[in-house]
Amino acid sequence: MSAKIRLYVEQPLGQGQSVPLTREQAHYLFGVMRLAVGGRVALFNGRGGEWLADVAEAGKRGGTLTCLELSRPLQLPPDLWFLFAPIKKARTDFIVEKAAEMGAARIMPVQTEFTNSERIRQDRLQAHAVEAAEQCGGTFVPEVADLQRLDKVLDAWPEGRQLMFCNEAEVGSALRLAENEKGRPWAILIGPEGGFSERERARLTTLPYAHVVSLGPRILRADTAAVAALTMWQQALGDWA
Ligand code: SAH
C-alpha cells in the first residue's frame, strides 16, 4: 500500500482524519494527476510524519482525503541554519530548493554589504522549500525566513550555535571542518557573487563561534558553494553518517 503522489498540507494528520483540499490541491490531484475516489496519496504537514491517505471525495474545486495509516515517522533534520545572500531570482530559487533537499532546518536569506537584492519574495521561496520536501521524500519543511541584515543577525546570534563561515579569501587553503563540534546547533554562511567586504570578513573571522573554511582551490559561484558547503557539513557533522 504505497502512494506515488506526495502532498504537503497544513491540516493536522492522524488516524481517520479527514483532510479538506484547497482548490489548487484538488486541481493538481484530480485534474493534473487524474486521481479518483479511492486513489492513494501520501500526506505530510511537516509535524506529524507521512500518512497514507485515500480520496473520499473528488471535485473540480475541492475534495476530501482520509488518513489511513502512518507510513513514515517524522524525520527532523540536524539543527542547521543555512544563511546565504540572495542573488538573481532563478539562482536564489535553486539555493532554497537545494538547502531544503540537503537537510537545512532553517533557511535564512541575509543582506550583506555586496548583496544586490533589497527584498525577496518570502512566500515564493517558502513554496520552493515545500516542493523540494514533496519531491525528496522529506517529512519536514524548513522555514524560509524573511530577508535580514547580516550584521543584525550576528548581533542577535544565539549562544552556543557554531558558524561555518565559507570565506572565499581562503580559496586553496586547507581549512576544513573539524569533527569535534558534532551534535551542536550550527549555521552555514555563504556570501553573494561579490563576496564579503573587508569589514564583514574582519568581523566574521574574529567571532568566537565562527569556523572559517575553504571550499577548495577554485572560487565557486554562490549556488555551487551552497551545495558544496552543505555536503561538507553533512558529511562531517550532519546526518549522513
Ligand atoms: N566574487 C568573489 C567570490 C564570491 S563567491 C571573489 O571573486 O572573491 C560567492 C560565495 O561563495 C563566497 O562569498 C563564499 O561564501 C563562497 N565561496 C566560493 N568559493 C569559495 C571557496 N573556494 N572557499 C570558500 N568559500 C567560497
Side-chain angles (χ1 to χ4, degrees), residues 166-168 171 189-196 213-216 218-220 222 225:
C166 299
N167 184 358
E168 69 274 5
V171 60
L189 172 63
I190 298 288
E193 278 162 4
F196 292 100
V213 302
S214 164
L215 298 175
R218 289 162 288 269
I219 296 277
L220 307 175

Side-chain angles (χ1 to χ4, degrees), residues 23-142:
R23 200 189 171 112
E24 293 75 40
Q25 288 166 338
H27 171 72
Y28 170 67
L29 292 182
F30 312 132
V32 180
M33 301 308 286
R34 302 275 158 201
L35 225 61
V37 169
R40 298 286 160 97
V41 189
L43 296 179
F44 68 105
N45 62 8
R47 310 180 297 276
E50 180 191 274
W51 284 79
L52 178 68
D54 70 355
V55 179
E57 294 168 315
K60 273 213 156 60
R61 273 170 242 100
T64 319
L65 306 176
T66 308
C67 291
L68 302 174
E69 63 182 29
L70 186 70
S71 42
R72 206 191 288 223
L74 176 66
Q75 194 193 357
L76 293 175
D79 186 356
L80 175 67
W81 292 358
F82 184 76
L83 281 65
F84 74 103
I87 42 178
K88 286 193 207 87
K89 185 171 148 303
R91 288 180 187 273
T92 299
D93 291 352
F94 175 92
I95 290 175
V96 168
E97 181 183 294
K98 298 309 158 206
E101 282 177 51
M102 294 283 301
R106 187 158 185 240
I107 300 172
M108 300 167 66
V110 290
Q111 199 172 6
T112 64
E113 285 187 43
F114 299 156
T115 302
N116 297 322
S117 42
E118 310 265 291
R119 48 183 290 277
I120 53 157
R121 283 280 309 275
Q122 190 276 338
D123 55 339
R124 263 205 30 229
L125 294 179
Q126 185 68 66
H128 277 291
V130 167
E131 265 176 47
E134 280 174 341
Q135 71 83 32
C136 77
T139 47
F140 174 85
V141 179

